[in-house]
Amino acid sequence: WLPEVWGAPTDPGEAPVFETGQQAQDVITLIMAHYNAVAEALLAGRGRFAAVFDVDTRHDETLWEIWVEGFARAMALHPSSWASIATSDRATRAALAGLRALIEIADGSERWPKAEADELTRLAPDLIPGWVEDLHAWRVGTPGVAAAASASRGGSKVGRNEPCSCGSGRKYKKCCGAN
């Protein structure tokens, strides 16, 4: 997922450019701190996860669309992983259906009547955190799903003195392991 954070390079060999190694480390530290905060909030249970939304200060409007576009990009990284939700419990299916509806509204391909789309748009900032928590609860509670996710990340644990898996070139203990 880290290449998605940097953006899609035009050249496959292209990497993010930082002015110094310290700047690169600082950026990676911030990204991993946010990643860890999200993971911790999801693992802590209901009501602790808060999606990060931009706010248009001119109109005091929450810009949930940017968040949901990022969620859609994340779903596109492993589309087959989302197929197993079709046989999940009702709350999990409803959560994914709600997020997909927001994706359609955000990208303009909605098939919803205007009144429903307007209502979903109004409620989106309040609905998204609960839906994410429902999806996470399903993920950690479904045998094989969490194991498959960790296997796709490489399976084995990174040692403290091994190169960090984020690609920074630093030792794990001095990079993502510092968090």
Side-chain angles (χ1 to χ4, degrees):
W1 57 267
L2 203 49
E4 287 294 313
V5 171
W6 305 134
T10 55
D11 175 2
E14 190 177 315
V17 177
F18 299 100
E19 292 179 19
T20 66
Q22 185 59 50
Q23 182 190 38
Q25 180 58 41
D26 292 346
V27 170
I28 290 170
T29 298
L30 289 170
I31 290 169
M32 293 312 299
H34 179 69
Y35 173 89
N36 290 332
V38 168
E40 183 180 311
L42 287 170
L43 292 172
R46 207 48 119 176
R48 296 222 27 228
F49 172 75
V52 177
F53 300 121
D54 283 335
V55 175
D56 179 349
T57 56
R58 297 171 299 171
H59 304 100
D60 196 32
E61 180 182 4
T62 302
L63 303 175
W64 59 268
E65 295 90 346
I66 297 168
W67 184 94
V68 87
E69 287 168 4
F71 183 83
R73 287 178 65 189
M75 287 180 65
L77 291 174
H78 295 284
S80 60
S81 299
W82 296 92
S84 57
I85 290 179
T87 59
S88 66
D89 62 284
R90 188 173 83 51
T92 304
R93 289 191 319 268
L96 186 58
L99 288 165
R100 283 187 168 148
L102 291 179
I103 290 167
E104 291 175 0
I105 291 168
D107 72 14
S109 65
E110 76 213 48
R111 54 182 163 71
W112 305 95
K114 182 170 176 16
E116 280 186 54
D118 289 347
E119 183 68 2
L120 271 174
T121 296
R122 186 180 69 75
L123 296 173
D126 298 322
L127 294 171
I128 289 170
W131 287 340
V132 170
E133 287 177 338
D134 287 343
L135 292 174
H136 179 72
W138 172 81
R139 182 185 161 275
V140 298
T142 302
V145 173
S150 66
S152 70
R153 287 191 299 266
S156 62
K157 187 176 176 180
V158 177
R160 288 178 38 79
N161 290 313
E162 293 178 26
C164 190
S165 58
C166 75
S168 68
R170 297 175 62 120
K171 289 184 179 183
Y172 177 76
K173 70 182 178 186
K174 296 282 188 174
C175 191
C176 297
N179 293 319

